[in-house]
């Protein structure tokens, strides 16, 4: 074989190898992203879309806050990307976050005690008058449409999903990945029979993920649903929604969980707004408020609360005990890992607010909460 023929063969082999490598790379990308379309969830259609159109919050194809809000506020003198990569903030703890296994209440105490178990971030179990309500459960390693990229857990869930007790209702505040997780929903379908009580439109995601229609309850603000002896009421929040490029195709909400004698309020994600005073006047006072305190920044001041605003919201709501959520588990902002709860503790002391800061997995008995001991400072 001459030199020219050898070169031709080498070129043909090289092209074949590159084509093979390209096909393999595409196949790899397809394998990695195989769950992404499903993770994006469903779209409003049919009766679900017709119901959304009747909502006072829905116009021109999307949901809206009562007042105009912006998810990002421009700051010409600030480079958020550079700050994210090179910022000096300590956005992860220096030591492992301590985890506890929730103490199971005695049967005689279940109907008497009002309890809260914080599993991390915004995932909660509310134990009220013998009922259990699971809130915004996210057990996946990442809050992202991909299991390879996106914010990863700083600590593991303190219990497995199959270890949860029998749940009476599963409440979702909105469809962002750190509050609504496809894998968790699908596993809950296997282990639990409770209905999913969600804001308008979120049922489209659940429907795509295989949740039976009879287990989906969608509510607009001020609408309620009864579960046993509990009333679950969707209330206002100042936030936004979206799992892909499209924004605000589903509603966001805060929640009132009310029994015959005890009341709990959960903010979901929200900026501080005057709606808290109205909710407190209509549905309060509350034995405990579960308030978002983390992932804030001056770049998005109207959609997440600063810790001092969380205390103000608690007071507006006429709350007794404040339990902070939405911190410690996922790194979603540029502040130090421990800053939200440090600021919250200082403000609570300054305004004489009762506060409990549980470790992930720790059960808080609302009438006898553990003293605030600054446990996070030892690992920060």
């Amino acid at each position: 074989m001459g030199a020219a023929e050898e070169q031709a063969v080498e070129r043909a082999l090289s092209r074949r190898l590159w084509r093979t490598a390209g096909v393999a790379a595409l196949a790899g990308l397809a394998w990695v992203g195989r769950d992404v379309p499903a993770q994006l969830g469903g779209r409003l259609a049919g009766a679900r879309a017709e119901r959304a159109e009747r909502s006072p919050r829905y116009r021109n194809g999307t949901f809206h806050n009562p007042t105009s809000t912006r998810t990002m506020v421009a700051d010409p003198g600030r480079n958020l990307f550079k700050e994210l990569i090179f910022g000096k903030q300590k956005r992860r703890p220096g030591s492992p976050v301590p985890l506890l296994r929730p103490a199971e209440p005695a049967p005689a105490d279940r109907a008497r005690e009002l309890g809260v178990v914080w599993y991390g971030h915004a995932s909660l179990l509310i134990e009220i008058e013998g009922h259990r309500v699971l809130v915004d459960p996210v057990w996946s390693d990442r809050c992202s449409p991909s299991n390879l990229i996106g914010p990863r857990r700083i600590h593991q869930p303190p219990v497995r999903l199959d270890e949860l007790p029998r749940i009476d209702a599963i409440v979702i505040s909105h469809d962002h990945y750190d509050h609504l997780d496809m894998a968790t929903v699908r596993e809950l379908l296997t282990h639990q029979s409770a209905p999913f009580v969600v804001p308008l439109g979120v049922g489209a995601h659940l429907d795509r993920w295989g949740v039976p229609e009879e287990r989906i309850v969608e509510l607009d603000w001020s609408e309620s649903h009864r579960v046993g002896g509990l009333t679950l009421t969707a209330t206002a929040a100042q936030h936004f929604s979206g799992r892909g490029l499209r924004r605000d195709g589903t509603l966001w909400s805060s929640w009132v969980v009310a029994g015959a004698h005890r009341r709990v309020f959960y903010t979901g994600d929200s900026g501080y707004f005057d709606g808290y005073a109205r909710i407190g006047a209509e549905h309060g006072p509350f034995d405990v408020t579960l308030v978002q305190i983390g992932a804030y920044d001056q770049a998005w001041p109207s959609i997440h609360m600063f810790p001092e605003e969380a205390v103000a919201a608690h007071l507006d709501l006429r709350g007794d005990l404040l339990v902070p959520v939405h911190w410690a588990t996922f790194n979603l902002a540029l502040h130090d890992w421990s800053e939200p709860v440090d600021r919250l503790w200082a403000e609570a002391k300054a305004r004489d607010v009762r506060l409990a800061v549980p470790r992930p997995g720790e059960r808080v008995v609302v009438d006898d909460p553990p003293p605030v001991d600054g446990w996070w400072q030892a690992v920060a």
Side-chain angles (χ1 to χ4, degrees):
M1 182 182 295
E5 291 175 318
E6 288 181 354
Q7 290 174 357
V9 170
E10 287 177 359
R11 286 195 295 270
L13 286 172
S14 178
R15 286 195 296 270
R16 183 174 296 177
L17 286 171
W18 277 109
R19 282 198 298 270
T20 301
V23 170
L26 289 173
L29 287 172
W31 174 256
V32 168
R34 65 193 184 281
D35 287 335
V36 170
Q39 288 272 17
L40 297 178
R43 298 286 291 270
L44 272 66
R48 184 169 279 120
E50 293 172 5
R51 187 174 176 206
E53 290 169 358
R54 295 194 295 270
S55 170
R57 276 142 288 285
Y58 193 84
R59 62 181 183 275
N60 301 323
T62 59
F63 288 93
H64 296 261
N65 288 301
T67 58
S68 178
T69 57
R70 296 178 63 184
T71 56
M72 289 290 288
V73 177
D75 183 350
R78 187 181 183 194
N79 186 325
L80 284 173
F81 181 76
K82 183 178 179 180
E83 192 173 340
L84 176 66
I85 302 300
F86 300 108
K88 302 301 183 182
Q89 301 94 338
K90 189 177 180 183
R91 296 196 290 268
R92 300 182 69 88
S95 302
V97 176
L99 307 179
L100 296 179
R101 292 189 65 82
E104 181 67 22
D109 293 333
R110 275 204 60 208
R112 179 180 60 84
E113 288 183 348
L114 175 60
V116 174
V117 179
W118 177 58
Y119 297 113
H121 198 58
S123 300
L124 297 151
L125 182 68
I126 300 169
E127 301 171 319
I128 175 172
E129 297 182 1
H131 298 83
R132 297 186 181 101
V133 178
L134 185 63
V135 177
D136 282 354
V138 174
W139 257 250
S140 286
D141 193 46
R142 297 184 187 272
C143 55
S144 164
S146 168
N147 60 6
L148 294 180
I149 59 173
R152 191 170 191 175
R153 300 186 74 95
I154 290 171
H155 66 83
Q156 291 303 305
V159 297
R160 300 192 313 268
L161 276 174
D162 62 1
E163 295 177 309
L164 292 178
R166 187 185 66 82
I167 304 300
D168 296 286
I170 301 165
V171 167
I172 305 296
S173 64
H174 64 297
D175 71 1
H176 286 158
Y177 290 98
D178 57 321
H179 294 258
L180 178 64
D181 176 55
M182 180 180 74
T184 302
V185 167
R186 286 177 167 174
E187 190 169 348
L188 285 170
L189 284 178
T190 301
H191 301 296
Q192 301 285 345
S193 59
F196 290 80
V197 187
V198 303
L200 287 181
V202 174
H205 303 320
L206 302 180
D207 181 65
R208 182 170 185 182
W209 299 338
V211 179
E213 190 65 32
E214 63 270 17
R215 289 184 60 181
I216 301 173
V217 178
E218 294 181 80
L219 300 179
D220 201 348
W221 294 351
S222 299
E223 293 182 341
S224 299
H225 179 72
R226 293 280 294 178
V227 177
L230 300 181
T231 300
L232 309 176
T233 303
T235 44
Q238 187 170 280
H239 199 54
F240 68 108
S241 67
R243 295 179 71 84
L245 297 178
R246 184 171 181 265
R247 288 279 185 92
D248 301 336
T250 64
L251 186 59
W252 47 95
S253 182
S254 59
W255 287 94
V256 173
V257 179
H261 307 289
R262 312 305 297 266
R263 289 175 175 265
V264 178
F265 181 79
Y266 169 54
T267 61
D269 278 6
S270 179
Y272 179 72
F273 72 125
D274 58 8
Y276 288 128
R278 290 192 295 270
I279 293 169
E282 182 175 356
H283 298 282
F286 294 100
D287 297 284
V288 59
T289 65
L290 311 169
V291 186
Q292 168 254 310
I293 68 163
Y296 50 80
D297 195 280
Q298 291 293 347
W300 51 87
S302 61
I303 57 169
H304 275 188
M305 282 186 281
F306 293 87
E308 295 78 12
E309 292 175 324
V311 174
H314 170 83
L315 293 170
D316 289 350
L317 290 159
R318 302 166 64 200
D320 184 7
L321 180 70
L322 190 163
V323 176
V325 302
H326 209 276
W327 77 284
T329 308
F330 294 109
N331 183 355
L332 302 176
L334 300 176
H335 53 65
D336 287 350
W337 175 80
S338 61
E339 182 185 296
V341 72
D342 283 332
R343 289 174 58 171
L344 180 81
W345 195 11
E347 185 72 5
K349 287 187 287 190
R351 303 191 69 173
D352 196 26
V353 165
R354 291 180 71 229
L355 179 68
V357 185
R359 295 156 178 78
E362 185 173 5
R363 182 174 185 265
V364 174
V365 178
V366 171
D367 295 330
D368 186 23
V372 181
D373 60 5
W375 62 264
W376 61 90
Q377 295 173 344
V379 300

